[in-house]
Amino acid sequence: MRIHALLLAFSFAVGLGSNVTPAAAVTKNAEATKSKADAKRYRQGFNQGITRTDQLEGPELQSIRRRMIARQRVSYKELQMLADRGDGVAAIYVAKRLAANPTLKADAVHYYTIACSTGRAGAVAPLSRLLSTETGSISDPRLDQAEQTLRDHAAHGNPVAVAQLIKFYKSGHPFGAKPDEVIRLERQAASRGDAKTALDMAISMISQGLTSEQEKKEARQFLITAQTSAEPSTRAVAAAVLRRLDTEPTNLVEVSQ
């Protein structure tokens, strides 16, 4: 009976056009469920906008959303109607269409910002790419909104948002140079386990001179974090600097990388 059940499950998977074993299919489904649960937890703390069809007023809008969720035909205008009411999924669809047209990138930034503001982490990277290449046609209010939503995602520990904000604040494009924010974000990234940033922070602190045991302790912790890197070169440099830090005077360690 057990063998028959396994064969039946395998036949069912093949009948659906699957090329994976039942065990692999179960694992894949479990991973997908976990991913959805993680995404839902991540969005907590954000104003998630429209997440249920019954939040929309009127049968027309509700019908549009049902079709969108079912991956049935939905016009651009209909998607825009949902996005303008705060549906993050619809906003991503609209933004993708707009981003394909170079003359509409400012509008694409606006809709990716809507998606990000509802906690959609998948919109962070495309929004950042657009901000890296397009600013002249983006109004100050839209830039302010885009910056704020990236900061919100960074506060939730999103590594893409943190890295992009560091890059933007260092270069001054498109939000202006903010060196204090760079330091704060780098410290945040290092504290949350970013090995490369932790190494950079430790080397920067040591190069400037550690004037107290507290600073030496913090630099040491950053180097310990850097030693967890998957990159052998990062681990090697961190280990070498850590050995020198533990044996030389607090404010006299010189580091070259």
Side-chain angles (χ1 to χ4, degrees):
M1 288 295 292
R2 183 179 179 187
I3 294 174
H4 177 72
L6 287 173
L7 287 173
L8 181 61
F10 180 75
S11 298
F12 181 69
V14 171
L16 290 177
S18 171
N19 60 354
V20 296
T21 64
V26 170
T27 301
K28 187 175 181 180
N29 289 338
E31 289 175 350
T33 301
K34 181 176 182 295
S35 178
K36 289 180 179 179
D38 289 343
K40 187 174 181 180
R41 280 193 295 271
Y42 180 86
R43 291 198 300 272
Q44 292 176 355
F46 288 91
N47 179 2
Q48 298 177 37
I50 301 297
T51 58
R52 301 191 320 273
T53 300
D54 61 11
Q55 291 175 286
L56 293 165
E57 294 182 2
E60 180 185 6
L61 289 172
Q62 292 180 359
S63 174
I64 294 170
R65 191 170 193 278
R66 288 192 189 96
R67 282 188 281 120
M68 179 186 73
I69 293 172
R71 296 184 179 275
Q72 297 173 356
R73 186 180 181 280
V74 183
S75 70
Y76 170 80
K77 183 178 179 181
E78 289 174 328
L79 286 171
Q80 193 174 36
M81 289 169 64
L82 294 181
D84 288 340
R85 285 164 175 78
D87 189 307
V89 175
I92 290 178
Y93 285 140
V94 171
K96 285 181 178 179
R97 293 195 186 185
L98 290 169
N101 187 333
T103 65
L104 298 176
K105 285 188 177 181
D107 291 327
V109 165
H110 171 64
Y111 282 100
Y112 273 130
T113 298
I114 290 176
C116 281
S117 68
T118 65
R120 302 283 170 180
V124 170
L127 172 61
S128 299
R129 285 195 295 270
L130 286 175
L131 290 170
S132 297
T133 59
E134 178 73 22
T135 57
S137 60
I138 305 175
S139 66
D140 288 342
R142 284 186 174 181
L143 278 178
D144 291 343
Q145 291 166 359
E147 180 183 9
Q148 184 57 56
T149 197
L150 288 178
R151 289 174 67 94
D152 290 342
H153 281 270
H156 277 69
N158 186 304
V160 176
V162 172
Q164 290 299 319
L165 283 173
I166 290 173
K167 184 182 76 171
F168 291 150
Y169 290 151
K170 279 184 175 180
S171 68
H173 172 86
F175 305 132
K178 299 181 181 181
D180 290 343
E181 280 298 296
V182 170
I183 294 173
R184 183 186 70 80
L185 288 166
E186 287 181 334
R187 193 176 295 275
Q188 173 185 318
S191 298
R192 288 179 172 173
D194 185 320
K196 181 62 171 65
T197 302
L199 178 60
D200 291 342
M201 285 293 295
I203 289 177
S204 176
M205 291 176 67
I206 296 170
S207 297
Q208 293 175 32
L210 303 175
T211 59
S212 68
E213 284 300 321
Q214 178 58 37
E215 287 186 358
K216 183 176 181 179
K217 180 179 179 181
E218 185 177 24
R220 190 176 193 282
Q221 185 56 54
F222 285 148
L223 291 170
I224 292 172
T225 298
Q227 286 185 302
T228 66
S229 174
E231 292 292 330
S233 59
T234 299
R235 294 199 305 270
V237 172
V241 176
L242 184 58
R243 285 194 297 271
R244 294 182 63 183
L245 183 64
D246 286 339
T247 58
E248 299 189 25
T250 301
N251 62 344
L252 296 180
V253 179
E254 294 180 358
V255 178
S256 60
Q257 185 179 18

